[in-house]
Amino acid sequence: MNVPLLDLNAQLEPLRAEILEKITAVVDSTRYILGPEVVGLEQEIADYCRAGFGIGVASGTDALLASLMALGVGPGDLVVTTPYTFFATMGSILRLGAQPVFVDIDPVTFNLDPDRLGEVLADKKIREKIKVILPVHLYGQCADMDRIMALASKNRIPVLEDAAQAIGSVCPMMENGQTVWRKAGAIGVAGCFSFFPSKNLGCMGDGGMVVTNDEELAEKLTILRNHGAEPKYYHAVIGGNFRLDALQAAILRIKLQHLPAWHVARRRNAARYNKLFRQAGLLDAGVIETPAAVFREEAGKEKTEVDFHIYNQYVLRTRDRDRLLRFLVDHSIGVEIYYPVPLHKQKCVSHFGYGDLSFPEAEKAAAETLALPIYSELTAGMQEYVVSRIKEFYS
Ligand SMILES: *Cc1c(COP(=O)(O)O)cnc(C)c1O
């Protein structure tokens, strides 16, 4: 059996005719950049995230870059983030001449650890230079935003969410003594999404979006994404070409209608893996650890139908990871390591001297984790095959 890491064809098949029809309509409209399809998508994504505004941009990376620009990040500034994420999180900081300050991750969720964040913020010399806190909702589960937001507001530092992998994911926030469930991206001052094809909501090229509840920030981002022009040909600020195109927006508007059902399917697949691994005795043997949905456990049984984790990736912690990876690839199972090199060890930041620092949880995660296929159309038979091969590897 062949089990790919992702099968975009399976997702495309039922939508193909509708998408092609819409593409034809956009082609015939000759409105290719921004325009009504982008405005429509911005409203729909904002509504979906329960945010006030959406600003369509050309990629998740541009969403991060434009947001950091809008928040005034520049040379000499520090931005707090995690060393265990996709490169774009750090790349956007570096491109503005700012420097990342890394905070190690929580070993259970792989997200920025609020305890470690508190330690960094306690250092006055560092704290004074921190312009933004940039947590990532890795693999589709929110960072502990309740604690991160509390620390940030105490120190008056804005929080920008890298929600590229977590569109639709919910996070419990304590508000006036009550738990309120907020959506990823709409908790901090702004949130960044990516529509890269492998994200839960993916387009057919590159695309991204910033959501925010801050009208002034939304206005700034709208100007920045178009070279900083306001009005046309007048530039009080320097922006870039971060615009989203109409074809991608039109495709995304069709796909967005299916996103809740796709999330349900990914959640079902995750639950199925969890059960299969337990039945195979692999959890008790301590050779693998399945991913935790920590907020689900917090919320209890009555909330099992909520998107606590949208499983953009289903990531195991394993013993003997590299050999397992080769074994699975040899058995035609698509697996991937997200991410093999923590960001503080990347060559492009070697001049900062991060090599002397240690982020043991990020380093351990980079050495021990493995992502399995989890896409919505994955079948029970495929999952049984994956688990039985893993069982065979450890027996
Ligand atoms: C995908 C991703 C990005 C970048 O998005 P692009 O659309 O590929 O530019 C940024 N951060 C994280 C965590 C991502 O997963």
Side-chain angles (χ1 to χ4, degrees):
M1 191 184 273
N2 175 34
V3 187
L5 184 64
L6 180 64
D7 181 1
L8 286 176
N9 245 316
Q11 186 193 70
L12 177 63
E13 200 48 47
L15 303 179
R16 200 167 179 278
E18 188 186 352
I19 286 175
L20 288 179
E21 197 177 311
K22 193 72 177 277
I23 287 175
T24 304
V26 173
V27 168
D28 290 342
S29 80
T30 71
R31 293 287 309 268
Y32 303 135
I33 305 284
L34 300 174
E37 291 293 344
V38 171
V39 172
L41 179 71
E42 288 172 339
Q43 188 61 55
E44 287 160 15
I45 296 279
D47 290 348
Y48 177 71
C49 298
R50 301 197 288 266
F53 308 91
I55 303 94
V57 292
S59 67
T61 304
D62 280 350
L64 289 164
L65 185 65
S67 299
L68 291 170
M69 287 169 82
L71 293 170
V73 171
D77 292 332
L78 299 179
V79 176
V80 176
T81 194
T82 155
Y84 188 62
T85 172
F86 179 58
F87 178 76
T89 315
M90 171 174 85
S92 313
I93 299 167
L94 294 169
R95 282 171 65 190
L96 293 172
Q99 189 182 334
V101 175
F102 294 116
V103 163
D104 206 0
I105 55 168
D106 174 306
V108 175
T109 62
F110 305 109
N111 282 324
L112 190 147
D113 184 338
D115 287 334
R116 302 285 90 79
L117 175 62
E119 290 166 15
V120 164
L121 293 174
D123 185 330
K124 186 157 172 279
K125 280 234 300 280
I126 294 178
R127 187 182 62 225
E128 283 171 345
K129 289 192 185 171
I130 295 172
K131 201 77 181 232
V132 172
I133 297 169
L134 178 51
V136 179
H137 307 317
L138 204 68
Y139 304 145
Q141 172 167 240
C142 286
D144 188 345
M145 290 301 286
D146 193 43
R147 292 189 57 205
I148 291 170
M149 291 300 289
L151 284 164
S153 66
K154 205 174 100 188
N155 290 283
R156 297 171 192 279
I157 303 169
V159 175
L160 176 66
E161 296 170 67
D162 182 342
Q165 300 182 5
I167 191 165
S169 185
V170 301
C171 182
M173 302 292 293
M174 283 303 285
E175 287 171 17
N176 307 317
Q178 271 189 334
T179 304
V180 179
W181 296 90
R182 302 272 296 274
K183 288 244 189 121
I187 303 168
V189 65
C192 300
F193 296 113
S194 162
F195 305 128
F196 185 79
S198 69
K199 304 292 157 91
N200 284 29
L201 180 63
C203 60
M204 297 182 175
D206 280 305
M209 177 90 53
V210 184
V211 296
T212 180
N213 289 309
D214 181 332
E215 187 166 7
E216 207 175 304
L217 190 65
E219 177 75 25
K220 255 190 207 166
L221 285 161
T222 307
I223 294 169
L224 281 171
R225 78 167 165 194
N226 198 16
H227 297 291
E230 179 55 35
K232 202 172 181 183
Y233 304 125
Y234 290 79
H235 301 262
V237 293
I238 305 162
N241 175 359
F242 307 137
R243 296 176 305 237
L244 181 62
D245 67 71
L247 278 173
Q248 300 305 340
I251 293 162
L252 287 163
R253 292 181 78 186
I254 294 174
K255 288 197 172 193
L256 178 60
Q257 298 169 38
H258 300 273
L259 187 61
W262 292 338
H263 285 344
V264 170
R266 281 174 184 261
R267 203 161 63 219
R268 174 204 62 208
N269 294 347
R272 196 183 275 147
Y273 269 139
N274 294 346
K275 191 170 156 202
L276 289 168
F277 282 124
R278 195 173 330 107
Q279 286 171 345
L282 290 166
L283 305 186
D284 295 334
V287 290
I288 66 160
E289 253 175 66
T290 52
V294 290
F295 301 130
R296 141 110 33 87
E297 282 145 34
E298 219 170 86
K301 276 239 167 351
E302 74 280 10
K303 292 230 181 208
T304 49
E305 291 309 305
V306 176
D307 291 317
F308 299 112
H309 197 322
I310 63 159
Y311 297 101
N312 178 241
Q313 301 297 344
Y314 180 91
V315 175
L316 297 177
R317 203 184 273 275
T318 68
R319 199 171 70 196
D320 214 357
R321 194 266 317 266
D322 294 339
R323 272 189 56 233
L324 174 64
L325 182 146
R326 272 193 301 278
F327 180 84
L328 294 175
V329 169
D330 287 346
H331 287 82
S332 307
I333 295 170
V335 288
E336 184 69 89
I337 300 171
Y338 300 109
Y339 299 90
V341 183
L343 296 182
H344 63 286
K345 301 219 171 208
Q346 295 290 352
K347 198 168 171 190
C348 69
V349 290
S350 57
H351 59 289
F352 287 128
Y354 295 133
D356 306 334
L357 301 176
S358 163
F359 302 98
E361 292 301 342
E363 286 156 30
K364 246 179 106 191
E368 294 180 353
T369 57
L370 189 65
L372 300 184
I374 190 68
Y375 60 91
S376 307
E377 298 80 8
L378 194 69
T379 64
M382 288 164 136
Q383 293 190 268
E384 282 155 19
Y385 175 73
V386 171
V387 173
S388 67
R389 290 290 80 79
I390 293 177
K391 184 172 176 167
E392 182 186 326
F393 174 79
Y394 285 114
S395 58

